[in-house]
Amino acid sequence: MLKRLFSKKTPPRPLDSAAVPEGRRIYAIGDIHGRNDLLQQLVEKIIDDDAKRGDINSEIIFLGDLIDRGPDSAGVLETAIQLKNELGDVRFLMGNHEEVYLAAATGSEKATRFFNRIGGKETILSYDISMREYMDLDNAGLADRLPDLIPSHHIDFVNAFENQIVIGDYAFVHAGIRPGVSLDEQKPKDLRWIRDEFLSIDEPHEKVIVYGHTINDDVVEKGNRIGIDTGAYYTEKLTALALEGEQRWYLDTATP
């Protein structure tokens, strides 16, 4: 008890002095939501930017919500798989939309109904099913169809997504964190779904939190967090945060 009471804790570092370890360059990509066209554009920008900045250990982190709402979620997953296979240092976080996607893919009627409500219709139609067949199926019929419709390699890929990634003074999550709870004790539900309880806090967290989930017109930088969901599926602006040492900069598909 005395050891715990008097143990030294490293104070959280504010955003202006946050850093990633020397020799690493990180690119974090915000919510894609089925926009495979924008993902491919942004990846090209990242590759060009990375090449101009010199040889270093470069990594890409996807903040989750690769799917739903936009027209080509199946294509986004294929692009993501290709990037993982070709580049290696690519990691993926589980978003709330991936969580529901996996539940619906089991054939659950309840999950399928919710999946449709939050943009899953577009994901379903990006697979091998016509609009006519989709419209002819009731919820029970659609739930029965999904396990055969969604390829197993997509399910296996998404199932392997992580809940959080900590690098240096930054923690990467999909939605945010539960304030006052250590990163080691965060619940997946909060990491994937939280919003107001996280956004309303100005006090420093254990790390600077990089997140998506909540749409804004532009990047949000606060002392304790950086939000990079710029609503790509309808704004045409998919955004990436880049980090090296104490430097940070941004790339997006709306900027030439």
Side-chain angles (χ1 to χ4, degrees):
M1 183 65 180
L2 287 175
K3 182 179 180 180
R4 181 179 178 186
L5 180 63
F6 292 108
S7 62
K8 294 183 179 179
K9 293 184 179 180
T10 303
R13 299 182 64 178
L15 177 57
D16 288 342
S17 60
V20 296
E22 184 178 352
R24 298 175 76 173
R25 184 180 300 138
I26 312 297
Y27 294 93
I29 298 177
D31 302 33
I32 301 162
H33 278 307
R35 290 300 301 268
N36 193 36
D37 55 339
L38 298 182
L39 173 58
Q40 293 181 359
Q41 291 175 36
L42 187 59
V43 168
E44 286 301 316
K45 287 195 170 193
I46 289 172
I47 290 172
D48 289 345
D49 182 79
D50 186 54
K52 292 174 183 176
R53 294 176 183 275
D55 191 24
I56 200 172
N57 182 18
S58 300
E59 308 160 57
I60 299 176
I61 296 173
F62 287 73
L63 296 186
D65 282 7
L66 282 70
I67 60 168
D68 293 352
R69 295 178 176 164
D72 194 11
S73 291
V76 168
L77 292 178
E78 286 297 324
T79 296
I81 291 169
Q82 182 181 1
L83 287 171
K84 178 66 175 175
N85 291 338
E86 294 182 359
L87 300 182
D89 288 331
V90 184
R91 300 170 72 177
F92 302 87
L93 291 169
M94 181 79 71
N96 57 311
H97 285 259
E98 281 84 22
E99 178 184 298
V100 179
Y101 167 86
L102 291 174
T106 66
S108 163
E109 284 190 47
K110 181 180 179 180
T112 298
R113 186 178 297 107
F114 187 47
F115 187 43
N116 271 302
R117 282 175 48 198
I118 64 170
K121 173 184 176 180
E122 289 78 11
T123 297
I124 295 167
L125 290 170
S126 71
Y127 289 108
D128 189 19
I129 183 173
S130 67
M131 176 64 81
R132 179 172 182 175
E133 181 184 356
Y134 174 87
M135 296 301 292
D136 285 344
L137 291 170
D138 60 13
N139 190 68
L142 185 60
D144 288 340
R145 182 82 167 85
L146 288 184
D148 293 326
L149 182 65
I150 299 175
S152 59
H153 72 282
H154 281 190
I155 300 300
D156 293 341
F157 175 64
V158 175
N159 258 320
F161 285 11
E162 301 174 71
N163 285 319
Q164 63 173 300
I165 298 169
V166 176
I167 301 175
D169 296 319
Y170 294 91
F172 303 83
V173 300
H174 173 63
I177 64 169
R178 176 69 58 180
V181 178
S182 71
L183 290 174
D184 290 341
E185 297 177 345
Q186 293 287 327
K187 296 179 180 179
K189 179 181 178 181
D190 287 330
L191 296 171
R192 300 170 189 173
W193 292 90
I194 200 168
R195 201 183 302 275
D196 293 341
E197 300 96 324
F198 165 67
L199 299 176
S200 63
I201 296 296
D202 295 327
E203 290 78 11
H205 300 299
E206 189 176 337
K207 303 285 184 178
V208 173
I209 308 301
V210 179
Y211 64 99
H213 188 60
T214 299
I215 296 174
N216 290 280
D217 293 335
D218 204 351
V219 171
V220 173
E221 285 195 359
K222 300 291 185 180
N224 59 2
R225 57 184 170 89
I226 302 175
I228 61 170
D229 182 358
T230 48
Y233 73 96
Y234 71 92
T235 66
E236 308 291 322
K237 183 178 181 180
L238 178 62
T239 298
L241 161 67
L243 300 167
E244 183 177 347
E246 291 189 358
Q247 300 178 69
R248 66 180 182 277
W249 64 98
Y250 298 95
L251 305 169
D252 65 64
T253 54
T255 303

